[in-house]
Amino acid sequence: MKVLLSWLREFAPIEGDPYELADHMSDLGMAVEETRPLNPLKGVVVARVASLRPHPEADRIQLVDVEVEPGNPVQVCCGAFNMSEGDLIPFATIGTVMPDGMEIAQRKMRGELSNGMCCSAAELHLGADHDGIMILPQELQVGASLMEQLGLVGDVLWDLEINPNRPDAMSVAGVARDLAARLNVPFEIPDWSVPVVEAREADLVSIHVEDEELCPRFTARVIRGVTVEKSPLWMQMRLTLLGMRPINSVVDVSNYVMLELGTPNHTYDLSLVPNGHIGVRRATDGEKISTLDDQERTLLSGDGIIVNEESAPIGIAGVMGGASTEISESTEAVLLELASWESESIARTSQRLGLRSEASARFERGTDWRLNVNAVERFCFLLSEISSGEIEIVGEVLDVHGALQETGPVSVRTSRISLLLGREFTSAEIRELLLPIGFDVETTDEEDIQLVTVPSFRPDTETETDIAEEVARHYGYSSLGTRVPRSPDAGRLTAQQKMRRMIRQIMIGSGLVEAMPNPFLAPGDVSKAGLSVANPVQLLNPLAVEESVLRPSLLPGLLTSAAYNYSHRNTGLRLFETGAIFLASDDPTSSLPDESEQLAALLTDSDAAHAVGLLRELGDGLKVELTLINADDLPGLHPTRGARICIGEEEIGSVGEIDPVILERFEIEDRCAWLDLRLDGLIEAAIAGSGVAYQPVSTFPSSDVDLAFVVDEEVQASAVEQTLRRAAGDELQGLQLFDVFRSDQMAQGSRSLAFSLKLQAKDRTLTDEEVGGVRQRCIQAVETSHKATLRS
Amino acid sequence: MSVYEQITQARASAIGEIEQVDDMESLTALEPVLFGKKSTLGGLKRLMGEVDAAEKAAVGQALNQAQADVRQAHAMVKERFIAESRREQLETERLDLTESLEKSMRGRLHLVTQTMERLEDVFVGMGFTVSEGPQAETDWYNFEALNLPAAHPARSMFDTLYLDLGERTEIGDGEGGEATNILLRTHTSPVQIRVMESNPPPIYTVCPGRVFRRDTADASHMPVFHQIEGLVIDRGISLTDLAGTLNEFTAAYFGGAIRSRLRPSYFPFTEPSAEFDITCVICEGEGCQTCQRTGWIELGGCGMVHPNVLSNCGIDSEEWTGFAFGFGIDRLALMRHGIKDLRDMYTNDVRFLEQF
Ligand SMILES: [Zn+2]
């Protein structure tokens, strides 16, 4: 919403620095996006087009002789062709600095001199039109300053952002009311009454509202003897500066009233409305109407429409009029409509038809039905003021409405307002803040309670809390002061949150970089990454089909990230991610999909051993024992280089290498190590394992025993390790696989695994016999459990 | 030759021999000759018996002095050899420390995670806990409980992505007992609702997390981004408590020169509602292009929790009042590091990730 200082001043004597006024408006909740004191445009004058001639060398520009002083034309080259001889135009003389900073100098264009510039409205920042030169009314004085002639010197234009709860601020008068209250100056809506005439038979109009919910109030009046002409320059300028295009006197007045009072309205050529019959109903599916912009529109049931006596649509309620009753130069009698419409219906229809306009924006917020009669008066007053001839305003105002919604007063406790705002207000202070913005306040027997009647232009304000906002707004949010509340408890992260941070620290300590791939996948991405998920969670309304599936695994995203890096020659990647994955829930009582947080790492140019090494870092750092079970059937993983990760009996993830077939699809030409596990499982185990009791360090010497076994390839090293651990018993302090060795000397399909055991007792030095005994137990256990043989 | 002359001579010859030596080995070999019983000075000591009693003290002193001189000469030479040999040894160990072939192995957290953790730390320092919740949510938690019923026009403020869960899409039921849609949360406010439902006040918590909007990616929008929201519910909480809390946060996070202010605004879930501005971090309030010469930049929205929201969570709004606030995490990261295009944060190009 744009407002102009001179227009605001028609309602209240507002004065002050434009930027300070802007701060007030922002502080009142009407955020100022731009403050523009209108540029005096020094050097831009009113000029007459004396003659037009073709440019001898160019088709796209013409030569214009422009008179600033009568009888003394200067030649200008101009690229616009909308002028005629005798037209008045804005002319920038040599030396003028244009609003965009460009300085006008004498130039030669294709051999012809150009001594200035004919200006479009856009070039002067006076409107959006940049196609043609601005044509000025003939009554302006040639040679005089343009801005002075337009009456705009010293004016200020503000661009405001109006929140959806402030329909009142979608009007010049509404902004003036709020600002006047802040500045403590009187606000008044002037008297716009006009002399009227009796209705004649031809003026008789009837209104039939079939659906009062759709149209709570329909007010209409007939004006005859109208001449459809150009509106005066001041009106055209105001409309232009506020962002609307001037059309003709009737339409311009209609728009002017809407901007001024926030009341969209519509005009019909009465002679095109058979028998003056106007009906209001909801459309049925498939009904058609040709609108003012000459487009045929198809309606749906629920859309509000205006119909003629044959019930044929002649307008879309609150959105756009129909072409069949449009005002034209031959219009003599105008039927003015001021209706209130159901805001949801207008919002739906305008959105669906792509016809969002200044009018629909106001109806969507809700207009003030009380203002209808006022706006009718304003329309008539303005039209009679600007008309070149005498117009006749029919005295009768048709006003069709059901039971208009009146809201009763709200009981407001001063103590409650003070509590919510954190400042002690008195009842009188609250009254003084509310009265100037149109609220009525009545005291009661109880000092703390007042009855507040909300004005009809504030439909958003319904409760005591809403009124607290009004009090705060006019008192000033920044004037309320500050205070810092203190939680009775200490701030902290949960054990899970701390553990998650630690896991991330371990990952970056191991040289991994955190990635955040897109959680949305294309339908083929899941199978491209070698996964098979029966029913991944789909989006109902994705922006694009490439982003229509919620990831069931972190693998596709990290592979895509790796592929992106490889295509940019970034190799040797070490990426990790922690994030949610989604699977359709098996639980029929759950409405939400299963969502779990995963940790995954992708190391390119690395083999499975690197991923296992990383996993060990993780297990070590968190003091969680992670066991591996080799597996050939892990989705996405290399069939002979993968393992399940378990904590105790519970499987929590997988580790290994990515299947080379998949890597090929992502054009990654290196081996890739992969680790993927359930973060919550890992975190729970880490929390359970933290806080272990201290074991006193043994002061007795330890003994080392090294054992190497030839073991079948089928047997997992970890299984041998488990056996050793069990066999060695309590004195085992450390166990490490320190060498793996394959040779032709050994039986086919077997390898040597060498372990080093560290034995130590807490209470004594182990004797040679005891150490020997442990050694024997270990050898025997491994040989019998795993068909292994000791290597000597 | 007097005994004194013998001492002087023996001293001179011993020191002369020390000075002739040119390595540690020869010096060690010389030690018995210098200090042993068979050394010249040692021999003279044995002659002490033959000296007159009257002379004994003087001769003894001369002899001790001579021995001390020899030991000192020896010590000096020995020290020199040690220093030389250390110097040689060190020279053989000389390294060019800039020759390192090792690549740095330190990884990096994503800029969003770094920013999120910094924010969490500031709020934890202010006495808040950190709450989390699911990213896929019901219509109830994301909208209805927040005073945004289905027909509410303000719903158009949120371009929502809905999930297709087959039959479940319609059968799931919200708190109101009606069919509900499942969607990707458009803000972290549903976490606030979950916290209020399951914890009695007082509540002081922040809810950071990933949120989703049906927005085409451009320099300042992503369909997936991150937010942090705060919620305080206690007795007597007011708009001034909100202003004070945001001030304290602003000073702690951005530094003392940056202040915050509230401007009236509109959100369905708060009343009174406010827009939360901070001093422009680029110009510190002087006015620049980033802040459109106002000296302020808009950070987020906030307000007093709407009584309907409290009662939807079973909290008596007469007894308890509260405030909530929220703002984007990605944008903070962008501002802090001068990143012009939000999309750069999500390409996962390691040349981007490794910069922070
Ligand atoms: Zn700035």
Side-chain angles (χ1 to χ4, degrees), chain A residues 708-785:
Chain A
F709 298 97
V710 177
V711 188
D712 202 287
E713 294 277 9
E714 305 267 288
V715 178
Q716 276 192 210
S718 64
V720 179
E721 200 177 307
Q722 280 305 320
T723 306
L724 284 170
R725 209 175 278 285
R726 266 195 303 273
D730 290 346
E731 275 73 49
L732 184 70
Q733 289 297 306
L735 174 62
Q736 177 72 45
L737 174 67
F738 71 91
D739 190 37
V740 180
F741 174 66
R742 288 182 175 80
S743 141
D744 298 341
Q745 315 290 313
M746 283 177 252
Q748 176 102 34
S750 61
R751 85 286 202 202
S752 155
L753 301 172
F755 294 90
S756 110
L757 292 79
K758 186 179 189 181
L759 304 177
Q760 191 180 32
K762 287 191 178 71
D763 51 355
R764 63 189 193 286
T765 304
L766 292 174
T767 63
D768 288 352
E769 288 73 40
E770 283 176 304
V771 172
V774 172
R775 187 173 184 276
Q776 272 315 312
R777 280 211 306 280
C778 287
I779 294 167
Q780 202 172 1
V782 171
E783 285 188 341
T784 52
S785 309

Side-chain angles (χ1 to χ4, degrees), chain A residues 5 8 12 14 20-25 28 30 158 173-185 437 474:
Chain A
L5 177 61
L8 292 173
I14 289 162
E20 274 172 29
L21 292 174
D23 285 345
H24 280 304
M25 288 188 274
L28 286 166
M30 303 177 290
W158 289 281
V175 173
R177 183 191 292 111
D178 233 21
L179 191 53
R182 168 58 67 90
L183 299 173
N184 211 5
V185 294
I437 50 170
H474 278 275

Side-chain angles (χ1 to χ4, degrees), chain A residues 499 503 506-507 597 599 615 618-619 622-626 645 647 650 652 675 677-689:
Chain A
M499 210 51 95
I503 289 168
I506 293 172
M507 297 311 265
E597 203 178 1
L599 164 69
L615 187 67
L618 209 51
L622 300 173
K623 298 260 171 232
V624 172
E625 195 171 326
L626 299 162
I645 307 168
I647 296 177
E650 201 194 349
I652 65 152
L675 168 66
L677 44 79
R678 250 181 39 231
L679 200 58
D680 54 354
L682 183 63
I683 286 174
E684 286 316 318
I687 291 172

Side-chain angles (χ1 to χ4, degrees), chain A residues 416 500 508 511 516 540 595, chain B residues 105 107 132 135 162 317 348:
Chain A
R416 182 73 181 171
R500 186 201 282 132
I508 67 170
M516 281 199 183
L540 263 182
E595 192 176 321
Chain B
M105 273 287 285
E132 297 167 22
Q135 296 173 11
Y162 291 92
S317 61
N348 297 305

Side-chain angles (χ1 to χ4, degrees), chain A residues 413 416 420 469 477 483 486 497 500-501 508 511-512 514 516 538 540-541 565 570 585 595, chain B residues 105 107-108 110 113 120-121 130 132 135 160 162 164 168 214 239 241 248 273 317-318 348 350:
Chain A
R413 290 164 295 171
R416 182 73 181 171
L420 283 171
E469 178 170 85
Y477 276 27
R483 193 166 76 184
R486 281 290 162 226
Q497 288 161 346
R500 186 201 282 132
R501 283 192 178 194
I508 67 170
L512 276 80
E514 188 187 16
M516 281 199 183
Q538 313 259 357
L540 263 182
N541 58 338
N565 277 293
N570 306 328
S585 174
E595 192 176 321
Chain B
M105 273 287 285
R108 289 279 180 272
H110 194 279
T113 306
E120 288 171 0
D121 291 345
V130 177
E132 297 167 22
Q135 296 173 11
T160 311
Y162 291 92
D164 180 359
R168 281 203 187 84
R214 194 172 183 276
L239 199 58
D241 291 303
E248 190 173 83
S273 300
S317 61
E318 278 293 309
N348 297 305
V350 289

Side-chain angles (χ1 to χ4, degrees), chain B residues 280 282-283 287-288 290-291 295:
Chain B
C280 175
I282 310 289
C283 64
C288 69
T290 305
C291 58

Side-chain angles (χ1 to χ4, degrees), chain B residues 280-297:
Chain B
C280 175
V281 290
I282 310 289
C283 64
E284 297 203 338
E286 294 290 313
C288 69
Q289 212 164 4
T290 305
C291 58
Q292 288 163 333
R293 297 182 210 300
T294 60
W296 295 94
I297 41 180

Side-chain angles (χ1 to χ4, degrees), chain B residues 306-334:
Chain B
H306 198 287
N308 293 355
V309 176
L310 292 174
S311 70
N312 284 337
C313 300
I315 295 175
D316 178 359
S317 61
E318 278 293 309
E319 184 181 357
W320 304 96
T321 52
F323 63 74
F325 57 86
F327 51 89
I329 293 175
D330 309 57
R331 223 182 109 231
L332 278 189
L334 243 60

